[in-house]
Amino acid sequence: MKIIQSNKIQEVELPLQLNISFKKVYVLFEKYAHKEYEKHPFHTSAIKMVNLFKEHPELNDGFSDYSLLETYKEQIDLLLNPLFPEPLQLNEIKAASVPFSFTSFKFTERFENILKNAGENYELNVRNFEDDGMYIMGCTFILGFVYGYFIDVKRPFYFDIPDQTTGTMKYYRAAFNGDFSEITATDKAPKITEDDFKNLVNNFDNIDLWKEKFPPNSYIFKGFGIINLFDVTAEEMISSIKANLLESSEDLLPKLQSNLRDFYSIKDLKLGYSIFDNINSKVCKTEVKKSNSIILNNSKEISCDTGYFCDGIMHKVFKNQETFVISDVDQYGIASNKNPFYKNLKENNIQSIVLIPIKATENDDLALLEIASPRAYELNSVNINKLKDIIPVFEAAVKRVSEERQNILEATIQENYTSIHNSVKWRFYEAAEKYHEEHQANENVQLDEIVFNDVYPLFGQSDIKGSSSARNQAIKEDLTTQLTLAISVLEDACKTEKLPIYNELMFRVATYLNDVKSGLNAGDEVSILEFLNREIYPVFKHVKEISKELAQKVNIYMNRLDKDLNVVYERRKEYENSVTLLNDKLAKFLDSKQKQAQEMYPHYFERYKTDGVEYNMYIGQSITRSKTFDKLYLYNLRLWQLQITCEMENLAFYERKNMKHDLRVASLILVHSNAMAIKFRMDEKQFDVDGAYNIRYEIIKKRIDKAHLKGTEERLTVPGKIAIVYSQEKDALEYVKYLNYLQSKNQLGEIEFLELEDLQGVTGLKALRVEVIYQKDFNENNTITFNDLIKEIEA
């Protein structure tokens, strides 16, 4: 008889003195030993058992010395045989046990085999059961056995037992039978009243109270219990998989892989995960981890149209969305003519694999769950049915992850392409909520138009001056370089191989070069490149074969060409990099300052990158529900705009040292006195002015930067000055006040009062133009604060 005694037996404090006794077994034998059962089949055996108890009264009276289990192991084994029938030895996982002591004896053969496979160092302990919990559990036993207060505090007890034969963990739920035990009170045990009982059940976690009512060792336990274990590995793994999928931690895949290893008892089972992009017909890795996918190996993605998979996988997995099982990879290799998928599996030492497609999105994108083993037939069409209860869990998780990913993508699109500014987002939610409520009753309901009435517009731009001529100059210089290089190759070819055709080609290239130097016309660049491709490059191909020197000369030419555009793109690249650098710097500065401006009063803001930066702002009561509008906020925003324009001028001026091209900006502000309405255009996914009268404002915005001073050819916008366009004198008076304030800060210089030439459809415009004084110690992070602006407005 196997005996297991825990090291914790002396450490655990209990309200019970634990004594092992087989009195209730004796009572059963004594019954059948009586004369009235002399014809019963158990009668003779029962008499022998009763005599055994008489020979060893300790078995009946009880003992607390657990070493006596070893002394009487033969007798105990014989006494308990009826409770452990021979036919069930390899089926039941059962043992006799002393509750709360972690001591067990008399195991079934199956239980003994499980413990043997667990290894010598394994100690049979209940999972997650604290000492205080054990003490209170003992108290509830006493309440039921002694006082008749039965409390249902039964928690499922679990044992985690390793299986060294498979290298995995098995999980067992325990059921305890206490029919063979009894509890009696000692003199030290306080009597429990009904009030005590009510107080105890209301203070389950108060261990001090429980110990007060049930002092340590104040009751005597006599008997033993029967513990039955049930293999719940599958249920535990399903529960663990659910919990892990809900948790969505960074190490999700390793956790799920460990779960499935225990589930299948395959210690080196592999789990992979990939996404099939239905639109582009390709399998790609997920974002969880780079090494997620088994079928992709080291590739980032594979195309399903290139014969990577066999027709069976393509049809069953990707078309019909059915599970595909390869139980023997070698046999699959023969059947598939050793296709790339087979070779990948062999390289990864995979001999059986299951592909489980799970629909991820509405456009039939699939998540592929990949489960693999290094041994053939360990995964097969039979045991894959064990996954039927798990697949719905994965489906729910994939759907959730897919929705989260979709939300992230939509948020990215909103932010970068069709952004709805935070100041007005509330109105869109309001309209959407109204639409969904009404749509339940009427399918033909339309979304509300989004209109904001009585808002004041502010427009500004910092335009890169002379960008068209700078771009043309860059094109001219690149073409000059390319044609000069081509002439150099032809000159060397002519020296080596005296063919008249080389002179004729040099003449034509030189003609193009002279035309470029004289000035570019529309279509010149395209004509030159077509000429080079058609006439020159075939000759270069021939020239490369004449000598190594000429081949090197051609290579020098080719290496100067941009790999994607196949033209010299050096000066243009420098120009575009300079424009990008300046644009990004201005845009980031403006966006940063805008966040601060929103704190003053919420207003709509949108910014665009062109050759420079331009932006619109709208402020008014209808934009926000959180604050009351006052024109003070409009005036402050106008002063803020002028201040920021000064700072952007300084930023652009000092950024010149970081650019290959010396780019300057010319700044403009358009003032409009009257409130207007703006409307969200669903077709264009942006706001626009609403109403015929307000269209004039949009016309001015589009044309004003090309305006000339009246009676001259001088452009209004010039580098180093800020132009403020207005149509009413009261606006000029207001802005002069702001300009005087910034002059006092030594940020602005002389003010010009100007009249503008009439634009098409627009007359009577005037402008203030003021010189910018560039600050030697300008710091974009240290500028005039809102408090300064408010004080100036209120002054």
Side-chain angles (χ1 to χ4, degrees), residues 616-736:
N616 291 304
M617 295 185 290
Y618 298 96
I619 187 170
Q621 185 62 70
S622 61
I623 294 288
T624 181
R625 297 181 299 181
S626 60
K627 292 184 76 172
T628 301
F629 178 73
D630 188 285
K631 276 201 170 183
L632 175 71
Y633 296 119
L634 170 62
Y635 302 148
N636 192 70
L637 193 59
R638 285 174 173 173
L639 176 55
W640 174 88
Q641 181 188 25
L642 183 58
Q643 170 68 44
I644 292 302
T645 304
C646 288
E647 293 169 2
M648 291 172 69
E649 278 278 349
N650 276 270
L651 188 65
F653 183 80
Y654 288 108
E655 196 62 31
R656 294 162 65 193
K657 63 179 181 295
N658 299 320
M659 298 183 292
K660 296 283 187 181
H661 276 253
D662 187 15
L663 301 179
R664 298 292 305 275
V665 298
S667 299
L668 179 143
I669 292 172
L670 176 60
V671 185
H672 188 82
S673 298
N674 301 323
M676 60 173 59
I678 57 172
K679 179 179 180 180
F680 188 78
R681 307 290 180 187
M682 293 297 292
D683 52 345
E684 298 177 3
K685 295 292 185 290
Q686 66 179 27
F687 278 100
D688 203 352
V689 296
D690 192 32
Y693 173 76
N694 295 327
I695 297 298
R696 181 176 182 272
Y697 176 75
E698 288 295 322
I699 294 173
I700 296 174
K701 279 201 310 184
K702 288 180 172 61
R703 298 174 181 171
I704 192 61
D705 66 324
K706 302 292 192 296
H708 291 86
L709 304 187
K710 195 167 188 176
T712 73
E713 292 299 317
E714 183 183 349
R715 291 277 288 269
L716 169 65
T717 53
V718 293
K721 294 184 179 182
I722 299 171
I724 303 168
V725 178
Y726 64 95
S727 57
Q728 298 186 30
E729 288 301 324
K730 66 174 184 177
D731 296 329
L733 294 174
E734 178 186 340
Y735 272 86
V736 167

Side-chain angles (χ1 to χ4, degrees), residues 752-790:
E752 301 174 78
F753 295 83
L754 307 170
E755 292 187 14
L756 305 182
E757 289 282 2
D758 292 343
L759 303 173
Q760 185 179 356
V762 180
T763 61
L765 292 179
K766 297 180 181 180
L768 301 172
R769 193 166 66 179
V770 60
E771 177 190 7
V772 177
I773 299 175
Y774 296 109
Q775 310 298 305
K776 291 183 179 180
D777 57 348
F778 175 74
N779 184 343
E780 62 185 275
N781 298 315
N782 184 21
T783 56
I784 293 177
T785 66
F786 277 131
N787 289 334
D788 294 332
L789 298 179
I790 291 292

